[in-house]
Amino acid sequence: VLSKKLSVTQEELNAALKDPTHKDYNSLTLGKRPMESIKRASVVQAFRESADLAVRTVNQTLGVIYQIVLGTKKTNELGGVIKISSMTADMAKQGTIIFFTFVALLSVNIGLVNLLPVPMLDGGHIMFCVAEAIKGEPVSVIARAYTYGFGLIFLLLTIFIINLNDLLALLKVG
């Protein structure tokens, strides 16, 4: 279990995340270097701390989505397949505990995004089920078709923008 007795904050650990001149540029740091503080914990304590980390991750992810919707955070800060694979490699170099923590946080993020009420995602299907429960009958086929069409265009455009950001960032660094 990761110790909560870190002497520095996550912001301090990740100060170099956006500084292209720093050796740790574009590397997410989840713990102290070179060795992570580890403490023994019971199964119940480990579960509580894991659940706490998952809740904090969900809150941060929702906060970022909210900032993007408001326009206070730019979409070029999002990462796709290239950025995720690069970050995964960086985490693997930092050690097993950090790597598995990163993979767990990534899984929580992907699961949360999948539950957003966007047609074509699971959250969109849930949205239709809720609408059907409220309305008492299924949503019309035409309404579903338009909604799924919009959702597909939205998802494809989002994927395109995120992967374009990754490619542009890769070309700038390389």
Side-chain angles (χ1 to χ4, degrees):
V1 175
L2 297 176
S3 174
K4 289 187 176 182
K5 297 178 183 179
L6 296 175
S7 59
V8 293
T9 65
Q10 286 296 101
E11 290 78 21
E12 292 169 327
L13 281 173
N14 292 297
L17 191 62
K18 296 180 182 177
D19 180 8
T21 60
H22 197 278
K23 70 177 179 67
D24 292 325
Y25 173 65
N26 251 355
S27 294
L28 178 67
T29 304
L30 298 174
K32 291 192 300 188
R33 292 183 185 164
M35 192 61 196
E36 183 69 41
S37 297
I38 301 172
K39 67 178 181 179
R40 289 199 171 274
S42 69
V43 173
V44 173
Q45 288 172 319
F47 180 79
R48 280 189 195 135
E49 290 193 31
S50 298
D52 181 52
L53 181 60
V55 167
R56 283 183 296 168
T57 301
V58 166
N59 287 335
Q60 289 174 347
T61 302
L62 291 174
V64 168
I65 292 169
Y66 181 71
Q67 290 172 344
I68 289 171
V69 169
L70 288 181
T72 58
K73 185 175 264 316
K74 296 181 181 180
T75 56
N76 64 355
E77 296 179 42
L78 297 176
V81 177
I82 296 170
K83 193 170 196 174
I84 291 171
S85 62
S86 171
M87 290 175 71
T88 303
D90 290 343
M91 296 301 120
K93 290 175 191 172
Q94 293 185 37
T96 307
I97 294 173
I98 292 174
F99 172 73
F100 283 116
T101 302
F102 175 75
V103 170
L105 296 177
L106 184 60
S107 296
V108 169
N109 273 312
I110 291 170
L112 178 65
V113 169
N114 189 42
L115 289 175
L116 292 176
V118 175
M120 305 298 289
L121 298 178
D122 288 341
H125 294 294
I126 293 169
M127 180 180 65
F128 278 119
C129 290
V130 169
E132 183 177 335
I134 292 170
K135 189 177 176 187
E137 62 184 44
V139 177
S140 75
V141 175
I142 292 176
R144 277 184 188 260
Y146 279 113
T147 306
Y148 281 129
F150 166 76
L152 180 62
I153 291 169
F154 174 78
L155 286 177
L156 291 175
L157 187 61
T158 302
I159 292 167
F160 175 77
I161 290 170
I162 290 172
N163 286 312
L164 181 63
N165 288 337
D166 279 357
L167 286 173
L168 292 174
L170 187 65
L171 293 175
K172 282 182 185 176
V173 173

